[in-house]
């Protein structure tokens, strides 16, 4: 008799009522993992890292970079201009000028860390010398101020003004879809979305596949199969791991949005809530499809050592999703945003950037959901037919054609 003809309900001894088998498995998956110390510690560490990164970003935004600029007598006037104009170029840079007697004194001051850099004239311009590493913030300020000052002096000598010399030279940027400022934020948040999806699908997927192999290798699955239909076992495992992944994802997203509200990017938080909600929807559909495939990868293996071989196509697919989500742009990004399962990470990035028509996410999510349904149907057949075969690694063709 087929193992899939077992009763669909198991009695709940505590209440005396029947409960769907898949719900029992789901609860077992959630409870066993959510009470596992490694899961809790891993989640906590990720939250701590996230809070630390956001805190560091906020501190960097508020921190003023205090730098000392050494100047020999032939550069004191220019250095003073740099000191006075620095706040206009970068309000996070505070320049203090230190007057030095000569080049030898300047080199000594650099060696003994009395100054961060030494400004002095050279043939054809000016040179900013540092001890062994470039002072990036100071360099940017000095380049801007010196350029403006020299232009003003040259313009005055030519009987004109800097404004007249630069008339018509301004270059601005514009996007056909969205705007440049939002695109920069979308790029950063989009990376987070792609990383979170890849991280969750890989970690939970590997754990799901490993649990399938452990049950198969220990032959516990044969006992389970005698009590409940295998499709219920698969559904419970997939739904349980999906619930755990979504819970963990929500924790990270909530912490991230709250943390972002304490940085200089807090004005973007309201605009990010909508795309974040869309990402959760795409994450859910994409994760269910991939979780089912991970279960199949586990069922095809007979030993833990076989998992690397049975999961290689799935791992390659996830890597393609990861790098595609990060690198695709333009027309290729638009096309990929409708192709499952890559659309799970690409469409949320497009939504973040703006300029997406209202029907586009709905169409992409519908296609992704359809892909998930087909994947679950195919995966369920492969899983049922491969799970109880213990004679070695099972190929996809063998699993598909095996008898019930």
């Amino acid at each position: 008799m087929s193992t899939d003809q077992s009763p669909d309900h198991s009695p709940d001894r505590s209440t005396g009522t029947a409960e769907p088998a898949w719900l029992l498995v789901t609860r077992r998956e959630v409870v066993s993992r959510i009470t596992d110390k490694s899961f809790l510690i891993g989640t906590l560490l990720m939250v701590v890292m996230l809070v630390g990164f956001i805190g560091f970003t906020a501190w960097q935004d508020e921190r003023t970079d205090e730098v000392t600029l050494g100047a020999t007598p032939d550069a004191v006037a220019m250095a003073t201009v740099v000191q006075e104009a620095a706040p206009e170029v970068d309000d996070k840079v505070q320049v203090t000028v230190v007057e030095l007697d000569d080049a030898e004194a300047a080199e000594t001051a650099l060696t003994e860390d009395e100054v961060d850099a030494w400004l002095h004239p050279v043939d054809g311009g000016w040179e900013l010398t540092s001890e062994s590493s470039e002072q990036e913030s100071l360099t940017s300020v000095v380049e801007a101020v010196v350029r403006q000052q020299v232009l003003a002096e040259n313009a005055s000598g030519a009987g004109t003004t800097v404004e007249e010399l630069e008339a018509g030279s301004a270059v601005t940027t514009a996007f056909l879809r969205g705007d440049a400022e939002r695109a920069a934020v979308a790029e950063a948040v989009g990376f987070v979305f792609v990383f979170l999806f890849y991280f969750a699908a890989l970690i939970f997927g590997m754990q799901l596949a490993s649990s399938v192999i452990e049950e198969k290798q220990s032959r516990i699955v044969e006992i389970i199969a005698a009590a409940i239909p295998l499709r219920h076992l698969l559904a419970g495992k997939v739904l349980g791991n999906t619930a755990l992944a979504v819970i963990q994802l929500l924790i990270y997203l909530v912490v991230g949005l709250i943390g972002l509200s304490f940085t200089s990017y807090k004005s973007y938080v309201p605009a990010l809530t909508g795309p974040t909600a869309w990402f959760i929807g795409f994450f859910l559909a994409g994760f269910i499809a991939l979780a089912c495939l991970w279960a199949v990868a586990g069922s095809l293996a007979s030993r833990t050592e076989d998992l690397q071989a049975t999961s290689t196509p799935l791992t390659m697919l996830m890597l393609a999703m990861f790098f595609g989500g990060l690198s695709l742009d333009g027309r290729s990004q638009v096309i990929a945003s409708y192709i499952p399962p890559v659309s799970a990470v690409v469409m949320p990035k497009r939504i973040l950037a703006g300029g997406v028509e209202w029907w586009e996410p709905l169409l992409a999510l519908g296609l992704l959901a359809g892909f998930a349904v087909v994947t679950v149907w195919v995966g369920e057949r492969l899983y049922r037919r491969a799970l109880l075969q213990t004679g070695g690694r099972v190929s996809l063709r063998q699993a598909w054609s095996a008898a019930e």
Side-chain angles (χ1 to χ4, degrees):
M1 179 181 293
S2 170
T3 58
D4 214 49
Q5 299 301 316
S6 304
D8 286 354
H9 295 78
S10 299
D12 185 340
R13 296 179 181 177
S14 63
T15 63
T17 59
E19 188 172 23
W22 62 266
L23 187 56
L24 287 172
V25 179
T26 301
R27 183 183 296 115
R28 184 195 68 173
E29 290 288 320
V30 173
V31 173
S32 63
R33 288 294 308 283
I34 210 166
T35 56
D36 182 45
K37 288 184 178 180
S38 62
F39 174 79
L40 296 175
I41 292 174
T43 302
L44 181 61
L45 286 177
M46 182 65 78
V47 170
V48 170
M49 291 174 59
L50 186 59
V51 171
F53 175 76
I54 294 175
F56 177 77
T57 302
W59 175 74
Q60 284 285 87
D61 289 341
E62 298 298 327
R63 186 175 68 93
T64 299
D65 193 4
E66 298 180 357
V67 293
T68 53
L69 179 62
T72 44
D74 52 358
V76 171
M78 181 64 78
T80 302
V81 174
V82 170
Q83 180 181 11
E84 295 173 350
E88 299 176 7
V89 178
D90 188 343
D91 59 359
K92 300 298 182 183
V93 178
Q94 180 179 335
V95 179
T96 301
V97 175
V98 176
E99 297 186 20
L100 304 169
D101 294 335
D102 50 33
E104 184 178 351
E107 293 176 0
T108 301
L110 284 172
T111 303
E112 297 180 357
D113 290 331
E114 295 177 0
V115 297
D116 294 309
W118 164 37
L119 181 65
H120 56 101
V122 294
D123 293 339
W126 294 81
E127 184 174 285
L128 189 64
T129 304
S130 54
E131 200 272 327
S132 60
S133 59
E134 184 177 349
Q135 305 293 320
E136 295 183 2
S137 58
L138 178 60
T139 299
S140 299
V141 169
V142 170
E143 287 177 346
V145 174
V146 168
R147 177 181 179 279
Q148 192 67 18
Q149 182 67 15
V150 171
L151 276 175
E153 293 174 356
N154 292 343
S156 178
T160 184
T161 63
V162 175
E163 289 74 17
E164 291 177 350
L165 288 175
E166 294 183 338
S169 64
V171 177
T172 59
T173 59
F175 286 10
L176 287 177
R177 300 168 69 89
D179 58 78
E181 189 177 46
R182 182 166 179 169
V185 177
E187 191 67 26
V189 179
F191 172 81
V192 174
F193 283 177
V194 173
F195 175 79
L196 285 177
F197 187 97
Y198 176 78
F199 177 80
L202 183 63
I203 297 300
F204 283 96
M206 287 293 292
Q207 291 173 346
L208 174 57
S210 297
S211 72
V212 171
I213 295 175
E214 289 173 5
E215 292 175 352
K216 182 176 180 178
Q217 191 171 8
S218 64
R219 307 187 82 95
I220 292 177
V221 70
E222 297 177 11
I223 301 174
I224 299 175
I228 66 173
L230 290 182
R231 60 168 56 94
H232 282 239
L233 178 61
L234 174 63
K237 284 183 171 294
V238 170
L239 292 176
N241 281 272
T242 300
L244 288 165
V246 171
I247 290 171
Q248 198 175 68
L249 175 70
L250 290 175
I251 292 173
Y252 297 154
L253 291 176
V254 169
V255 171
L257 290 174
I258 292 176
L260 203 63
S261 65
F262 291 96
T263 70
S264 59
Y265 302 101
K266 59 185 177 182
S267 61
Y268 291 103
V269 172
L272 290 175
T273 53
T276 300
W278 275 111
F279 172 65
I280 295 172
F282 278 92
F283 177 90
L284 186 61
F287 185 88
I288 288 176
L290 292 177
C292 191
L293 294 179
W294 276 110
V296 171
S299 69
L300 294 174
S302 292
R303 303 175 304 160
T304 305
E305 292 80 2
D306 296 332
L307 180 58
Q308 182 176 359
T310 60
S311 64
T312 294
L314 186 53
T315 304
M316 298 300 294
L317 173 62
M318 291 182 57
L319 285 173
M321 292 177 62
F322 180 75
F323 290 109
L326 295 181
S327 60
L328 291 176
D329 58 7
R331 185 174 296 277
S332 60
Q333 185 185 59
V334 173
I335 295 173
S337 66
Y338 298 105
I339 302 177
V342 182
S343 57
V345 293
V346 177
M347 181 55 80
K349 281 192 67 176
R350 289 190 58 211
I351 296 172
L352 278 167
V356 177
E357 298 295 335
W358 65 269
W359 54 267
E360 294 185 75
L362 292 175
L363 175 59
L365 185 57
L367 292 172
L368 182 60
F371 171 80
V373 170
V374 173
T375 302
V376 169
W377 178 77
V378 173
E380 184 263 346
R381 172 169 173 154
L382 293 171
Y383 176 84
R384 283 190 293 108
R385 299 187 177 197
L387 189 61
L388 297 179
Q389 298 189 38
T390 57
R393 197 170 72 210
V394 183
S395 68
L396 288 173
R397 177 176 296 180
Q398 289 173 329
W400 184 262
S401 60
E404 289 284 354

